[in-house]
């Protein structure tokens, strides 16, 4: 759904007006539901991928809060950059490895495996890296976020 399309405009307007009708104590849940519907409109499998990435990053977040070690932040960064790198640079690496080795296996991979790009993967990956690095550096003095609040942030 593109931001300048009629479906998006209708979705946004309906969502906006219903948001103000929903009781204040349920608005965060409504925001999460609306965000999930918006993301699912792009791809339901990528919505589940997004949830898994949030869950794994939340585990890293809690680990970094408990023990601020270089190992925790390093593993979190590696996970996030590998996730981003796989989706954005799969074909580039297949071409690079084909030209480096001359093996037809990489041409086969490139033609047989279809890798689609999840909606906003760069944005949410760098947002997750930013909050994990800020937590590691203790830049924000807030209480520990719940999984729901952590997911709502993204």
């Amino acid at each position: 759904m593109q931001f300048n399309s009629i479906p998006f405009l209708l979705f946004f307007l309906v969502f906006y007006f219903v948001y103000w009708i929903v009781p204040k104590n349920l608005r965060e849940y409504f925001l999460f539901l609306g965000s999930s519907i918006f993301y699912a409109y792009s791809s339901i499998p990528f919505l589940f991928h997004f949830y898994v990435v949030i869950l794994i990053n939340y585990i890293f977040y809690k680990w970094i809060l408990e023990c601020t070690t270089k190992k925790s932040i390093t593993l979190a960064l590696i996970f996030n950059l590998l996730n981003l790198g796989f989706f954005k640079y799969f074909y580039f690496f297949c071409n690079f490895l084909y030209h480096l080795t001359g093996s037809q296996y990489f041409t086969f991979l490139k033609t047989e495996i279809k890798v689609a790009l999840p909606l906003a993967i760069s944005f949410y990956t760098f947002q997750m890296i930013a909050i994990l690095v800020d937590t590691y550096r203790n830049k924000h003095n807030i209480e520990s976020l719940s999984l729901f609040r952590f997911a709502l942030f993204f």
Side-chain angles (χ1 to χ4, degrees):
M1 181 179 334
Q2 294 183 0
F3 294 117
N4 59 354
S5 66
I6 298 296
F8 174 77
L9 182 63
L10 291 174
F11 176 78
F12 178 78
L13 289 174
V14 168
F15 183 82
Y16 179 78
F17 289 118
V18 172
Y19 174 82
W20 294 108
I21 297 170
V22 171
K24 284 187 179 186
N25 61 336
L26 299 177
R27 285 184 182 166
E28 287 181 345
Y29 299 105
F30 186 69
L31 280 174
F32 186 78
L33 176 67
S35 298
S36 296
I37 291 170
F38 178 76
Y39 203 91
Y41 188 84
S42 167
S43 171
I44 292 175
F46 283 145
L47 176 67
F48 290 115
H49 172 263
F50 184 51
Y51 286 159
V52 168
V53 169
I54 288 174
L55 180 63
I56 292 170
N57 275 285
Y58 183 72
I59 292 168
F60 280 125
Y61 171 75
K62 291 303 244 180
W63 185 25
I64 291 168
L65 277 176
E66 289 175 13
C67 61
T68 308
T69 63
K70 283 197 181 234
K71 183 179 183 180
S72 59
I73 191 65
T74 303
L75 288 175
L77 290 173
I78 288 171
F79 167 76
N80 282 298
L81 293 175
L82 282 175
N83 182 48
L84 178 65
F86 174 76
F87 285 104
K88 288 199 79 149
Y89 302 110
F90 177 77
Y91 296 116
F92 170 77
F93 284 124
C94 283
N95 280 335
F96 175 74
L97 291 171
Y98 168 72
H99 290 296
L100 188 67
T101 64
S103 173
Q104 293 298 320
Y105 175 72
F106 298 109
T107 305
F108 172 77
L109 279 179
K110 189 173 77 172
T111 57
E112 294 299 318
I113 297 177
K114 303 297 182 216
V115 178
L117 195 60
L119 181 67
I121 189 169
S122 296
F123 178 75
Y124 71 72
T125 299
F126 290 120
Q127 284 289 97
M128 288 180 191
I129 289 173
I131 197 167
L132 293 173
V133 169
D134 284 350
T135 303
Y136 175 74
R137 292 180 176 169
N138 200 15
K139 290 272 182 168
H140 55 82
N141 295 323
I142 60 171
E143 71 278 355
S144 176
L145 296 172
S146 67
L147 176 59
F148 176 74
R149 287 274 176 124
F150 190 81
L152 184 61
F153 178 76
F154 296 107

